[in-house]
Amino acid sequence: MRGPKQIFAVTWLNLRNLPQRIGSSVVAVIGVAAVVLVFAAVLSMAKGFERTMISAGSDDTAIIMRSGSTSELNSGLSNEQALIIAESPGVLKDGDAPVMSAELYVVVDVKKKSTGTDANVPFRGVQSGAFDVRKNVSLADGRMFEPGKNEFIVGRSAQQEFAGLETGSTIRFGQTEWSVVGSFEAGGSVSESELWTDVRVLQGAYRRGNGFQSVRVKLQSEASLSELEAALEADPRINPDVMSEKEYYSGQAAPISQFIKLVGYPLTILMAIGAVFGALNSMYSSVSVRGKEIATLRALGFGPLSILVSTMIESTILALVGGLLGGAIAYLAFNGFQVSTLNGATFSQVVFDFAVTPDLLIDGLKAALIIGAFGGLFPAIRAARLPVAQALREL
């Protein structure tokens, strides 16, 4: 027997004898599983937040704000400027009417259902074209708010996360009482964290005159963005920032995603170091108790390479089992788990789901295999170099 046949034979023998070393093997598996679990759980927050933010954006929808604005909250546009934007080149028209929505963005206080603590929720005033300039937005229940009335519809995510927003209920913001007349879905995007009402009603309730904070327009095509931007920058009556919705939301998602990753990766690395030592301990223990067995195999003609490779394979298989276990627990426990966090750009809550994605699980398995390889390397070298006579004397 030579080469692959020897490796297969020794590996099969090692795996058959695993029940005899169940304690140390379980420790190694649990250590790797914990690493993958933490890795997937922490980074699934970043994945979920990015997905919620970016899925709201579209390349063929432009958002226009005042130049220098970091978000809608600190932007401002006049009614005249909104009309200029609506008639600019590159804007899609439905007949003679531009497909657009001039909008106002304020923040209101509600209570979280889970904790009863205060939370800032976006209250957006929109025009009738709000559904047309956004993708995947549709009423889920109830009806649309009526223009001129203190009524609003609520995003499904906000309705699930915050108290007092059930369809048919009334809620007071400041000095004004509002009726919740329906809820809407937006493909799980950040829009589902918002409340929508008639922009003219919101302007009156919050004494904002006839101004807006942003204008959304549907573009004739993705390439029309540059045409629109050039036309608006050339107009002295308006000093705008023009960008696609996807670009806008990607910019808002980046800081929080980077912060989560900044915390998640070092934590995973520290735990991985601990798991490597756990795998080392397990494999050294395996080599120690199998000294007589290894010596017998060497005496029968099995080469040191077959001993080394089989030990590495055993360590890698244990790590793979741990990785699969950790990934499965992470998926079952965290995927789709709904939470909310503060969007620093708008100082309002964004409701999102943890997203344990396939690429995240694959990365976790890669980390598990690396841990298994490092954890098995030095014990494998020791096993391969173990002299026959010495091994027989030790046991």
Side-chain angles (χ1 to χ4, degrees):
M1 296 173 62
R2 289 293 183 267
K5 290 184 178 180
Q6 285 192 352
I7 293 171
F8 177 80
V10 179
T11 302
W12 178 244
L13 181 63
N14 292 350
L15 297 178
R16 286 183 59 186
N17 291 335
L18 276 178
Q20 300 174 17
R21 308 184 300 278
I22 190 66
S24 60
S25 299
V26 168
V27 169
V29 168
I30 291 176
V32 176
V35 173
V36 175
L37 173 59
V38 171
F39 174 82
V42 173
L43 295 187
S44 68
M45 293 176 61
K47 288 282 188 181
F49 186 78
E50 287 175 353
R51 183 175 67 182
T52 297
M53 295 297 292
I54 297 173
S55 64
S58 172
D59 287 322
D60 64 353
T61 297
I63 178 169
I64 298 94
M65 299 181 296
R66 183 181 59 199
S67 179
S69 302
T70 57
S71 72
E72 293 173 89
L73 196 61
N74 53 31
S75 174
L77 296 170
S78 67
N79 187 68
E80 179 189 6
Q81 289 172 326
L83 294 175
I84 293 170
I85 293 168
E87 298 302 324
S88 297
V91 176
L92 182 68
K93 291 192 175 182
D94 182 9
D96 293 330
V99 181
M100 62 163 289
S101 176
E103 300 181 351
L104 185 66
Y105 187 101
V106 301
V107 175
V108 294
D109 289 332
V110 296
K111 300 286 186 182
K112 287 189 176 182
K113 287 182 178 179
S114 56
T115 62
T117 56
D118 290 335
N120 294 336
V121 174
F123 196 10
R124 183 182 294 277
V126 300
Q127 294 182 325
S128 58
F131 280 73
D132 298 321
V133 296
R134 291 174 173 86
K135 61 180 182 179
N136 301 328
V137 180
S138 60
L139 277 175
D141 67 21
R143 60 174 175 84
M144 186 64 176
F145 60 80
E146 292 185 25
K149 293 186 177 180
N150 294 337
E151 300 177 343
F152 68 85
I153 56 176
V154 54
R156 269 303 178 104
S157 296
Q159 193 173 57
Q160 294 168 1
E161 184 74 9
F162 305 115
L165 299 179
E166 294 77 16
T167 301
S169 63
T170 58
I171 189 169
R172 179 176 291 274
F173 298 138
Q175 301 301 314
T176 307
E177 194 168 82
W178 300 81
S179 300
V180 185
V181 297
S183 67
F184 64 92
E185 296 175 339
S189 71
V190 66
S191 296
E192 287 192 14
S193 301
E194 300 178 345
L195 320 178
W196 287 8
T197 189
D198 178 17
V199 67
R200 295 302 182 186
V201 174
L202 196 64
Q203 286 171 337
Y206 285 84
R207 300 178 182 178
R208 298 298 181 88
N210 62 353
F212 306 99
Q213 286 170 297
S214 66
V215 176
R216 279 174 167 78
V217 296
K218 201 72 174 177
L219 299 171
Q220 294 171 358
S221 68
E222 294 180 14
S224 300
L225 180 64
S226 57
E227 181 184 7
L228 174 63
E229 184 175 12
L232 292 177
E233 288 181 351
D235 194 323
R237 297 171 296 175
I238 184 170
N239 183 26
D241 274 343
V242 183
M243 64 191 80
S244 69
E245 261 195 331
K246 182 168 287 187
E247 180 185 358
Y248 173 70
Y249 283 120
S250 296
Q252 288 201 341
I256 291 181
S257 298
Q258 289 170 359
F259 174 77
I260 294 172
K261 292 174 182 177
L262 189 64
V263 173
Y265 281 119
L267 179 62
T268 301
I269 290 171
L270 288 175
M271 293 193 65
I273 293 172
V276 167
F277 280 106
L280 280 168
N281 181 67
S282 173
M283 297 314 300
Y284 272 127
S285 174
S286 172
V287 171
S288 176
V289 300
R290 290 165 50 227
K292 185 176 180 180
E293 174 188 306
I294 293 171
T296 303
L297 290 170
R298 294 292 305 279
L300 291 173
F302 284 80
L305 180 62
S306 63
I307 302 297
L308 184 147
V309 174
S310 64
T311 305
M312 288 285 294
I313 291 174
E314 178 186 347
S315 175
T316 303
I317 288 176
L318 290 175
L320 180 61
V321 171
L324 291 170
L325 177 62
I329 294 173
Y331 184 83
L332 294 173
F334 293 101
N335 190 54
F337 182 71
Q338 188 179 80
V339 295
S340 64
T341 191
L342 187 69
N343 180 0
T346 60
F347 301 101
S348 60
Q349 295 286 315
V350 174
V351 183
F352 67 97
D353 295 340
F354 282 53
V356 184
T357 58
D359 60 321
L360 200 58
L361 293 176
I362 291 172
D363 288 342
L365 289 179
K366 289 177 182 177
L369 293 175
I370 292 172
I371 292 170
F374 274 100
L377 178 60
F378 295 106
I381 293 174
R382 182 179 185 274
R385 290 178 174 177
L386 191 64
V388 176
Q390 179 183 338
L392 292 174
R393 284 196 304 269
E394 286 177 353
L395 296 174

